[in-house]
Amino acid sequence: MRTKPLRILDPYAVPGRECKAQLHCHTTASDGRLRPQEAVDRYRQAGYAFLALTDHDRITRVEAPEDGDFCVIPGVERTVPRPVRPLGPHLGCLFVHRLPEGRSAQALLEDVAAQGGIACLNHPSWKGNFWTAQWTEAALRHLRGYRLMEVWNPHSDPEEDIRRWVVACRRCGSGCPVAPVASDDLHEETDFNRGWVVVRVERITQEALRAALLHGAVYASTGPAARFGVRKGCVVVETDASWIRFYDAHQRLRHEARGPEAQYEPGAEEGFVRVECVGRSGARAWSAAFWVVPEEAMLP
């Protein structure tokens, strides 16, 4: 029996509609196969509302004016030298107008923030760059200022990435939430449209996307569509996936139900609740964290 009233923090409690976004892809400006304008056209035709071109260690600019239906945001995938580039993990830098500089991950994060940007820890368990590219648990606990983290990338281990994302969520807490990202990390044609995020926005603009990402009004997907929220003390889900699973902050499965709808009432000991929607083919969608806090913690 509860002794104190609880409140569930709902990251999706914002006005707007769900729009598809790709936050990590490459072009011929680095090691991709599509020219920048080809990439823009391809994602737009596939129904995306937002696209970030994140070539390696350079900002790729294209002529793509915001027209209310599609928006290209500036970005770059910056290599953190370990000990020197090109070795080291990759930091996604969104909404930056110049190349972030710094010899350490923390210095790069601070430069991204100084530009009004948002940083994403890309493919945290990727074993590339001669095993220097992973975002270790020590780094997740030490670093300050990242707000996004990939939970699915075609070049990484999703189960390990999810585990590390949960570590990051616990470390950063409800006051600085780390939202989940899936991306196709487009290099080859076969990568296209394999992973993306869905954001809740009122307008198709850079400012609206930035606000949604910072608020955590985003979910990651490799196929299933979903709608998440809070109603009468429960986390509620509607999805086209076959199964709905609720996990707590300690990676314990708390409840499982068949789609298309489910709800779960969390307790204070769970820390937060996150949801996975699993399709018949194994494709999944991952919600942001729903933090469970004492009601008095919300009082001024």
Side-chain angles (χ1 to χ4, degrees), residues 204-231:
I204 311 301
T205 63
Q206 291 191 34
E207 294 77 11
L209 176 61
R210 184 177 182 278
L213 295 175
L214 288 175
H215 194 270
V218 54
Y219 70 87
S221 181
T222 60
R227 189 172 182 89
F228 305 98
V230 173
R231 184 171 61 241

Side-chain angles (χ1 to χ4, degrees), residues 10-38:
D10 183 0
Y12 303 99
V14 295
R17 58 191 174 96
E18 279 69 33
C19 293
K20 193 174 180 179
Q22 182 59 247
L23 302 181
H24 184 181
C25 74
H26 300 276
T27 75
T28 52
S30 59
D31 57 353
R33 297 294 179 265
L34 295 179
R35 293 190 295 273
Q37 192 60 53
E38 288 178 323

Side-chain angles (χ1 to χ4, degrees), residues 5-150:
L6 301 175
R7 178 174 177 180
I8 305 172
L9 304 184
D10 183 0
Y12 303 99
V14 295
R17 58 191 174 96
E18 279 69 33
C19 293
K20 193 174 180 179
Q22 182 59 247
L23 302 181
H24 184 181
C25 74
H26 300 276
T27 75
T28 52
S30 59
D31 57 353
R33 297 294 179 265
L34 295 179
R35 293 190 295 273
Q37 192 60 53
E38 288 178 323
V40 169
D41 295 341
R42 184 82 176 271
Y43 283 102
R44 183 167 192 164
Q45 292 165 6
Y48 284 80
F50 298 98
L51 172 65
L53 300 178
T54 55
D55 280 307
H56 293 284
D57 297 310
R58 63 168 295 166
I59 296 177
T60 301
R61 305 186 189 279
V62 294
E63 293 296 328
E66 297 181 11
D67 60 6
D69 295 315
F70 186 77
C71 177
V72 177
I73 66 172
V76 59
E77 186 172 37
R78 199 73 167 111
T79 303
V80 180
R82 186 186 289 173
V84 295
R85 295 187 180 98
L87 301 180
H90 291 173
L91 183 70
C93 309
L94 307 175
F95 307 100
V96 292
H97 55 82
R98 59 171 174 77
L99 195 65
E101 297 292 346
R103 289 287 303 168
S104 69
Q106 189 59 53
L108 286 167
L109 286 166
E110 290 170 3
D111 196 357
V112 171
Q115 297 185 52
I118 299 177
C120 179
L121 305 187
N122 289 348
H123 39 63
S125 67
W126 180 49
K127 296 179 176 63
N129 286 359
F130 295 99
W131 295 78
T132 67
Q134 297 191 51
W135 291 103
T136 64
E137 286 193 33
L140 300 180
R141 293 190 173 98
H142 172 73
L143 294 173
R144 307 286 192 276
Y146 59 92
R147 298 299 299 272
L148 305 172
M149 188 168 174
E150 287 186 342

Side-chain angles (χ1 to χ4, degrees), residues 124-125 127 134 137 157-165:
S125 67
K127 296 179 176 63
Q134 297 191 51
E137 286 193 33
D157 177 355
E159 298 307 322
E160 181 60 24
D161 290 346
I162 292 164
R163 191 186 69 80
R164 296 188 193 192
W165 169 60

